[in-house]
Amino acid sequence: MTAAELEAGVSREPDESEMNIFSDNGSQSVVSQLLDHINSHEKRGGGFSERFLRWRRRYLPVGGDNRRDHGSLKHSGPLVSGAAYCISSCSMILMNKVVLSTYNFNAGISLMLYQNLISCLVVALLKFSGVVSVEKFNWKLIRVWLPVNVIFVGMLISGMYSLKYINVAMVTILKNATNIITAIGELYMFRKRQNNKVWAAMFMMIISAISGGITDLTFNAVGYTWQTANCVLTASYSLTLRRVMDKAKQSTKSGSLNEVSMVLLNNLLSLPFGITLVILLGEWRYVISTDVTKDAMFWVVATASGFLGLAISFTSMWFLHQTGPTTYSLVGSLNKVPISLSGLLLFNVPLSLPNFFSILFGLFAGVVFARAKMS
């Protein structure tokens, strides 16, 4: 899950097969390895004191997944990582809305380009500092990844423009349609069938999207068109990513492609596409002439949105490793509630009672969908 998927952050709840792509359940922590060594020493009659053994059993319990962590860290880890993921994803959506609507910035492609450039620079800095590891890219990998990246760019751009014209709550509800498109795609491409509960939840999503659009007092045909395109592209991104993942891994020297490498690869390849579109569509003229870009606070907000986009990638990966695909999926659906309510309150969205209930129904449908995927 790159910054895109999670800007697709409020897009859809990933299922276990997708999230297991990024899980690293085979690795053990340093503490875990140390305790394994102690265990083997005990079996050979190593003679550790009874006091140390009592301390170890109390504070370093053996979990079912072969990991031994300090008691307090073990319990607080999922809570801290989950909170970080929810805050960063919620903040990212709201920050983009501020840039595009409050500042009335009419250059969504340029904003995407700027955010992706920030992501590349930060990941490169972390790589050279030895904080993260990144696969070495080659032309074979780039050729395999290009179709994914083209969809990635389209997904980000359509998401930017839909957010400009539609209020945050309705964007969140309409993004539920991505689940339906993805389920249909999975059926035809991977022969994956969903259970009746999932289809019932998706039917609820359709009802909420239609009723929400009909009762939306700020309805904008251009915005809804962009959002429809975004749903199609987000689903296509997920399906294409799953199809090319194995081939992409085979194209690397190590035979793997971790999350950080995907973030850098996607954002790096998006730069030439973004520059080309900014030039061809004449967006650069607007950027250098508009008064908005002369406002220092605008650049603070735009830069913060770029950092938040990257933060979503890392916090989602952290949260996923701390919990699992099922918990990650459920929290992702529940996280839409504060995002929607914050969007309604912060931007003074005109709201009718039927529209409000449509939004609540859509949020409920998202939670039902996540629960149905677990069964």
Side-chain angles (χ1 to χ4, degrees), residues 95-287:
M95 199 71 75
N96 275 345
K97 183 65 176 176
V98 169
V99 174
L100 295 166
S101 297
T102 304
Y103 281 99
N104 198 28
F105 187 62
N106 296 315
I109 301 174
S110 298
L111 179 60
M112 177 213 71
L113 182 62
Y114 183 63
Q115 290 176 343
N116 290 0
L117 178 61
I118 290 174
S119 294
C120 290
L121 293 175
V122 173
V123 172
L125 182 63
L126 293 174
K127 176 182 179 295
F128 289 124
S129 302
V131 177
V132 298
S133 61
V134 178
E135 290 291 329
K136 288 185 177 180
F137 301 148
N138 55 62
W139 286 112
K140 183 179 179 182
L141 174 61
I142 291 173
R143 283 196 298 271
V144 170
W145 202 260
L146 269 178
V148 177
N149 193 254
V150 171
I151 301 171
F152 170 90
V153 173
M155 181 178 73
L156 282 187
I157 293 172
S158 59
M160 290 286 188
Y161 282 110
S162 67
L163 196 58
K164 177 176 175 58
Y165 295 108
I166 309 177
N167 70 71
V168 174
M170 279 309 303
V171 166
T172 304
I173 300 308
L174 293 171
K175 277 181 177 289
N176 283 335
T178 303
N179 297 307
I180 301 164
I181 300 170
T182 303
I184 295 171
E186 286 176 335
L187 181 62
Y188 284 97
M189 292 175 65
F190 305 107
R191 296 291 181 260
K192 180 178 179 180
R193 298 185 180 277
Q194 307 293 342
N195 61 51
N196 291 333
K197 291 180 180 179
V198 171
W199 288 111
M202 289 192 289
F203 179 73
M204 291 168 64
M205 290 175 176
I206 294 173
I207 298 298
S208 68
I210 294 174
S211 62
I214 293 172
T215 58
D216 187 2
L217 298 179
T218 60
F219 180 87
N220 185 294
V222 174
Y224 273 70
T225 301
W226 277 114
Q227 185 53 53
T228 302
N230 180 255
C231 290
V232 173
L233 288 166
T234 303
S236 301
Y237 178 84
S238 172
L239 296 167
T240 307
L241 180 66
R242 204 179 310 178
R243 169 162 280 186
V244 306
M245 181 56 72
D246 289 338
K247 194 173 181 180
K249 288 180 178 179
Q250 293 168 7
S251 302
T252 63
K253 190 175 182 180
S254 67
S256 65
L257 191 65
N258 62 28
E259 163 72 10
V260 181
S261 300
M262 285 178 59
V263 170
L264 183 59
L265 180 61
N266 253 339
N267 286 284
L268 199 59
L269 290 179
S270 72
L271 297 182
F273 283 116
I275 292 170
T276 302
L277 289 172
V278 166
I279 294 172
L280 289 178
L281 299 177
E283 226 181 57
W284 64 274
R285 294 191 185 91
Y286 168 80
V287 172

